[in-house]
Amino acid sequence: MSDVSQDTSLLVEPEAEEQVLARMLSDDQAIEEVAGFLLPEHFYTSNYRKLYKEALRRWEGGEEPANLANMLPMMEKLGVDVMKLTNMAIDIAIWEMKPLAERLVQTDGVRKAMKAGYELIQMANMSRMLDADEIEQTITKATETLTRIGERQAKNTMRSVHDILMEHTDKLEQTIWGDEESEVVGPSIMTGMPDLDELTNGYKAPELIVIAARPSVGKTAFANQQALNIAEKYAEKGPVALFSLEMAAEELVTRMLGNLAHLGGLGNRKLTEEEYNKYTMAVGLLANHNIMIDDEPKQTVSKIRAKARRLQKEQGLSAIFIDYLQFIEPPTKGMNRADVVSENTKALKNMAKELGVPVIALAQVGRQVEQRADKRPMMSDLRESGEIEQTADKIMFLYRDEYYNRDTEKKSILEVDLAKNRNGATGKRELCFIKEYGKIRSLEVQHAEQLAIV
């Protein structure tokens, strides 16, 4: 009968082991994707097992990252093909890291199960030579081995009703006994737009909020205003993370400065002395807003999640804004557009749950809106985008009549249609949108200020 090692060695995936190591060595943060569940023992190849063990030790100890430069001496000592892993890293995206690692865990589990099964076969062949106690001990040992394998494969996601009730009670008491003068309601993040907050009861963790509209209606201004408000009010929770996949960080900052200074055309014209004074005051105000902007284009959800997780670990995190959903890269090459948006939407919801913060994603509405007499977007305009309608906790549509009708009576009015609210009411609100400098506020506040000026 063949040796156990010869049988189990048939279930080895050296290429997957190499791909995991290649990705890890090429990206300092990649190990965060798998460190929670991938163990050195899951590597069959001895040298790869030693290499990963050292990388894991460095990561857990907060030492220099286990990148190629730092690990090169060990790789050369072990005889690892450095050039092979370096070339391989080019073709391995960060989103592939976790599935590959999970495959290694599963394969290792099958190897261990095969070994336990083989021992049972040996016992059966030798049963005539064993007494009853020896047979029972062998069966018990094999059963315990299989049980341990199953336990390691399954994630511990069970929570007692007692623990869930305690969390629920804490949140409810925050709502009931919270400071009456505060806008904070329980675990919600208020947007600083009172009319909207009254309708939505704020953004909660782990909600996925989708804000959809046609181009140039005001999606980015709407998101910027909320990011500014949240960063100012919830600084103790950590920064607001803003992932801008279309617009450069400098352009976003320019818009935020215009918002705070009440100035339009910044960077495109000379400023008067009075305007310059407003500008410098806005610079000071914005510097105190806890906002982190990432404008790297062509990012996957996995990459966004890794960056957000690192930020949360280092500084905390209050909310994540993504501008915008359709610009997120596909998780797998060759997918059609609808499937890409669907998969990314589900991934964003999972990210919100994993990080425990609200995720606000902007989305583009299709051109079919332009063919209707009433150009207000509606839920059916999102159906071609797969999972958005089903997965998002809140969906808001933005509309400006002024964009389509120059002679409208509703000038500077931004209509917000809360079309889906998983845990509350739906409805519409009107806000004032001062397009010149991208500021959004309640109509009452704007009207009061105009009266004061008069």
Side-chain angles (χ1 to χ4, degrees):
M1 189 165 290
S2 61
D3 185 74
V4 171
S5 62
Q6 292 176 340
D7 283 349
T8 58
S9 66
L10 296 175
L11 260 173
V12 179
E13 298 197 23
E15 185 175 359
E17 294 184 359
E18 291 166 348
Q19 288 172 330
V20 169
L21 292 174
R23 179 72 250 184
M24 180 190 72
L25 294 167
S26 66
D27 187 336
D28 292 352
Q29 304 304 318
I31 195 170
E32 291 187 13
E33 292 284 320
V34 300
F37 65 91
L38 183 64
L39 303 176
E41 68 185 55
H42 295 138
F43 286 80
Y44 182 86
T45 308
S46 175
N47 288 340
Y48 293 161
R49 184 164 57 245
K50 293 174 182 177
L51 195 62
Y52 181 72
K53 184 177 181 179
E54 174 61 16
L56 197 61
R57 185 191 67 77
R58 286 170 172 266
W59 182 78
E60 291 174 342
E63 300 179 25
E64 289 184 340
N67 54 32
L68 182 60
N70 295 331
M71 299 291 285
L72 186 59
M74 183 177 184
M75 294 173 70
E76 291 176 340
K77 183 178 179 180
L78 292 173
V80 174
D81 191 336
V82 178
M83 186 60 68
K84 181 180 182 180
L85 293 187
T86 302
N87 293 335
M88 188 176 285
I90 299 172
D91 298 321
I92 309 299
I94 192 167
W95 61 263
E96 295 177 289
M97 179 80 163
K98 190 173 180 180
L100 285 168
E102 289 173 343
R103 181 67 179 173
L104 295 186
V105 175
Q106 292 165 354
T107 305
D108 181 65
V110 175
R111 284 198 300 268
K112 289 182 170 66
M114 284 180 65
K115 185 176 180 180
Y118 182 74
E119 290 175 356
L120 281 174
I121 293 172
Q122 283 185 318
M123 181 271 294
N125 291 332
M126 298 173 60
S127 60
R128 294 179 182 179
M129 302 170 58
L130 301 176
D131 60 30
D133 288 340
E134 289 174 324
I135 292 175
E136 185 176 347
Q137 288 174 7
T138 303
I139 294 174
T140 300
K141 180 183 176 183
T143 303
E144 289 175 349
T145 300
L146 292 173
T147 300
R148 285 196 299 272
I149 294 170
E151 288 174 350
R152 289 180 180 179
Q153 295 283 317
K155 297 178 182 178
N156 182 18
T157 57
M158 302 294 290
R159 290 192 299 159
S160 70
V161 170
H162 176 272
D163 291 342
I164 297 171
L165 282 173
M166 291 297 291
E167 292 179 14
H168 177 79
T169 303
D170 287 344
K171 291 177 181 178
L172 185 64
E173 287 181 350
Q174 288 180 43
T175 303
I176 297 173
W177 307 114
D179 182 0
E180 292 183 0
E181 296 181 359
S182 173
E183 292 183 15
V184 181
V185 180
S188 297
I189 297 288
M190 296 300 170
T191 67
M193 301 176 180
D195 296 344
L196 186 62
D197 289 335
E198 181 185 9
L199 179 63
T200 64
N201 198 26
Y203 299 158
K204 301 177 182 64
E207 285 186 331
L208 171 63
I209 299 98
V210 173
I211 299 168
R214 288 292 293 148
S216 301
V217 168
K219 292 190 302 297
T220 300
F222 191 68
N224 282 354
Q225 186 68 68
Q226 293 186 9
L228 286 168
N229 295 347
I230 292 172
E232 181 179 16
K233 188 168 185 60
Y234 299 95
E236 75 286 350
K237 286 181 175 289
V240 170
L242 205 166
F243 291 89
S244 178
L245 306 182
E246 180 184 26
M247 194 176 297
E250 291 77 9
E251 187 176 354
L252 278 178
V253 167
T254 300
R255 290 192 177 196
M256 290 178 179
L257 288 171
N259 179 306
L260 295 171
H262 293 192
L263 291 173
L266 282 179
N268 298 321
R269 63 183 180 86
K270 292 183 178 181
L271 300 179
T272 65
E273 183 176 349
E274 180 182 357
E275 288 176 332
Y276 182 75
N277 290 336
K278 289 182 178 180
Y279 165 76
T280 55
M281 288 181 63
V283 170
L285 286 172
L286 186 56
N288 290 322
H289 282 70
N290 201 2
I291 299 175
M292 301 292 289
I293 299 176
D294 187 313
D295 63 354
E296 181 184 356
K298 297 184 177 180
Q299 298 195 62
T300 62
V301 174
S302 294
K303 194 168 188 178
I304 292 171
R305 183 176 64 246
K307 291 179 178 181
R309 188 192 297 118
R310 182 173 58 195
L311 178 63
Q312 187 179 52
K313 184 178 180 181
E314 295 174 352
Q315 301 182 42
L317 191 61
S318 57
I320 298 172
F321 286 81
I322 299 173
D323 188 6
Y324 57 91
L325 179 57
Q326 284 92 341
F327 267 34
I328 301 176
E329 287 291 286
T332 306
K333 294 178 181 179
M335 298 176 68
N336 63 53
R337 182 178 176 83
D339 287 343
V340 169
V341 176
S342 296
E343 290 301 311
N344 284 339
T345 300
K346 288 187 286 188
L348 289 178
K349 175 59 182 176
N350 289 335
M351 180 175 74
K353 292 171 66 176
E354 179 184 337
L355 300 179
V357 298
V359 173
I360 302 95
L362 308 189
Q364 199 88 282
V365 172
R367 291 190 181 90
Q368 65 270 21
V369 173
E370 309 294 337
Q371 309 303 317
R372 298 197 298 260
D374 185 349
K375 294 177 173 52
R376 290 171 174 82
M378 60 184 68
M379 198 71 76
S380 59
D381 297 320
L382 290 175
R383 283 177 185 162
E384 65 178 10
S385 299
E387 291 287 327
I388 296 179
E389 182 178 355
Q390 180 178 343
T391 303
D393 297 284
K394 289 182 172 72
I395 297 178
M396 300 181 201
F397 294 107
L398 307 183
Y399 172 79
R400 280 194 303 120
D401 199 54
E402 186 178 12
Y403 179 76
Y404 295 100
N405 307 308
R406 293 184 179 181
D407 299 328
T408 183
E409 296 180 357
K410 291 191 173 185
K411 292 187 181 296
S412 300
I413 298 295
L414 179 69
E415 295 182 20
V416 183
D417 178 9
L418 180 61
K420 180 181 179 181
N421 188 7
R422 194 185 301 278
N423 299 306
T426 59
K428 296 182 180 181
R429 293 293 186 271
E430 291 185 347
L431 301 173
C432 177
F433 177 34
I434 307 172
K435 190 176 185 299
E436 295 89 318
Y437 43 86
K439 194 171 190 69
I440 298 173
R441 62 208 318 191
S442 72
L443 292 174
E444 290 184 4
V445 171
Q446 180 67 14
H447 184 61
E449 287 191 2
Q450 288 175 339
L451 289 176
I453 293 174
V454 175

